[in-house]
Amino acid sequence: MSNITLGIIGGGQLGSMLAIAAKKLGIKIIIFCDDLEAPAQNFCDEFIGAKYDDKEKINEFVNKVDIVTYEFENIPYETLNDINKLKPVLPKPSVNRLIQHRLAEKDFVNKLNIRTTRYVSVENQSDIDVLEDFLPGIIKTTTLGYDGKGQHPVSTSEELKNLKLDLSRGYILEKLVKLKKEISIIITRFSNNKYEIYEPIENTHEDQILKHSKIPADINEKIFNQSKDWAILIAEELKYVGTLCVEFFIDRNDNLYVNEIAPRVHNSGHLTINAFNVSQFENHIRAVCELEQIPLKKLSNAKMINLLGDQISNYRNSPKLKDNEFFFDYLKKEIKDKRKMGHITILE
């Protein structure tokens, strides 16, 4: 039984699964979240609901915990930095600040001689007039946005102009690759050159939301090794502690590109709960709490299917599951279209 109290900022499904993994290890969990109906309160020892800039509540939270981590990246850097002056925040706030900004993130990856899609910063109207070379592409806000939010596919300059972007926000335009498939790598780094890395996961998206993930990925040996090498290089360069996800594109010529880095546990890694001896969530807890590093073993091939919106209802009402099927309900009260409500993992 551990005497560690871990604070988690954010109370969604990732916070819930981190809390479940921590409880298994005897770690006390306190969640801080700005959503008073956050589902993670069902799985923690204590829940503090307040805005992320509420200094009084933040201090109350900090005084109750030994270490702090977070389940999503769009937390104000100032909040994480202030907490880090009092208690260790892992991954480091500087990592989060870098990855919160898509342009800075792409520049960082390119400086490691790792391939990304071609991209350009869009800051004013005159930039838009000379972007033909980056079309078709996707224009994204440089900060915030997930599951397709703050993102617009564009094919022509005319489409780009018609979006009437609020250029005070800052945008990045990424040229589309001729996409063959998408994969992700989940890696947990404990300290210098000490890590556990999961095999590449193949992902399918619809409307820029993850629909399902599977292992093994249908990729060649070169991409299998290159994706893992690049994920290790990124984690080492960031001096990262905890679980990290690197999302990749593969084009029709089997070229690999880094799409995005997620400084946290990731939706595509949900299948690790059932398919490996140690899940991405448990490994994150082990790394940030300086617990024993256990060598990874794959137990089974697997497929994970996200349940969006009302797709959860059938499973909640009458879950007829086979022995190789596992249903996870995130216990979100409000069902919304395209909202991630739960998932099914099928072992194969």
Side-chain angles (χ1 to χ4, degrees), residues 68-276:
V68 174
T69 190
Y70 43 91
E71 64 135 24
F72 73 111
E73 53 268 53
N74 292 333
I75 302 161
Y77 167 73
E78 295 72 20
T79 298
L80 293 179
N81 198 41
D82 286 347
I83 293 172
N84 195 46
K85 291 170 186 172
L86 303 168
K87 298 285 170 70
V89 174
L90 295 169
K92 297 178 298 183
S94 57
V95 170
N96 203 45
R97 178 171 58 175
L98 171 72
I99 292 170
Q100 276 182 347
H101 197 281
R102 287 190 170 100
L103 193 61
E105 176 190 3
K106 285 276 196 295
D107 288 347
F108 163 77
V109 172
N110 278 175
K111 282 174 186 167
L112 296 176
N113 290 320
I114 293 174
R115 189 187 301 113
T116 65
T117 55
R118 291 182 60 215
Y119 62 96
V120 64
S121 174
V122 181
E123 295 176 1
N124 51 57
Q125 193 59 42
S126 61
D127 289 337
I128 291 177
D129 297 334
V130 292
L131 293 177
E132 197 72 40
D133 199 30
F134 290 86
L135 298 173
I138 296 182
I139 191 153
K140 305 176 179 179
T141 51
T142 51
T143 57
L144 303 178
Y146 61 94
D147 288 346
K149 296 175 176 69
Q151 304 183 20
H152 305 278
V154 283
S155 297
T156 65
S157 299
E158 204 58 40
E159 278 181 33
L160 197 52
K161 288 170 186 171
N162 289 340
L163 285 175
K164 296 184 170 53
L165 302 172
D166 174 10
L167 291 170
S168 65
R169 295 188 65 189
Y171 288 82
I172 180 172
L173 177 63
E174 300 175 4
K175 187 173 176 66
L176 285 179
V177 299
K178 290 179 178 174
L179 190 63
K180 180 179 179 182
K181 64 182 57 186
E182 298 177 61
I183 61 170
S184 56
I185 290 283
I186 308 284
I187 179 171
T188 304
R189 182 178 179 273
F190 287 74
S191 60
N192 289 353
N193 294 309
K194 288 190 174 178
Y195 53 84
E196 296 297 331
I197 186 164
Y198 298 86
E199 69 177 78
I201 301 164
E202 184 173 335
N203 303 309
T204 303
H205 290 77
E206 278 187 12
D207 298 327
Q208 295 170 302
I209 300 173
L210 183 65
K211 185 180 180 187
H212 54 75
S213 302
K214 69 165 188 169
I215 53 171
D218 183 16
I219 54 176
N220 63 37
E221 187 179 0
K222 181 189 170 192
I223 287 175
F224 184 100
N225 293 326
Q226 190 175 47
S227 61
K228 291 177 91 168
D229 289 346
W230 283 0
I232 292 165
L233 183 56
I234 287 167
E236 286 294 324
E237 186 67 22
L238 290 171
K239 294 184 168 53
Y240 195 87
V241 176
T243 295
L244 170 84
C245 176
V246 184
E247 299 174 48
F248 296 91
F249 292 144
I250 303 169
D251 73 13
R252 290 174 195 168
N253 295 318
D254 274 344
N255 294 309
L256 188 67
Y257 304 79
V258 167
N259 174 30
E260 288 184 348
I261 303 167
R264 53 174 171 80
V265 289
H266 192 261
N267 190 180
S268 67
H270 289 353
L271 52 73
T272 63
I273 296 171
N274 305 101
F276 288 85

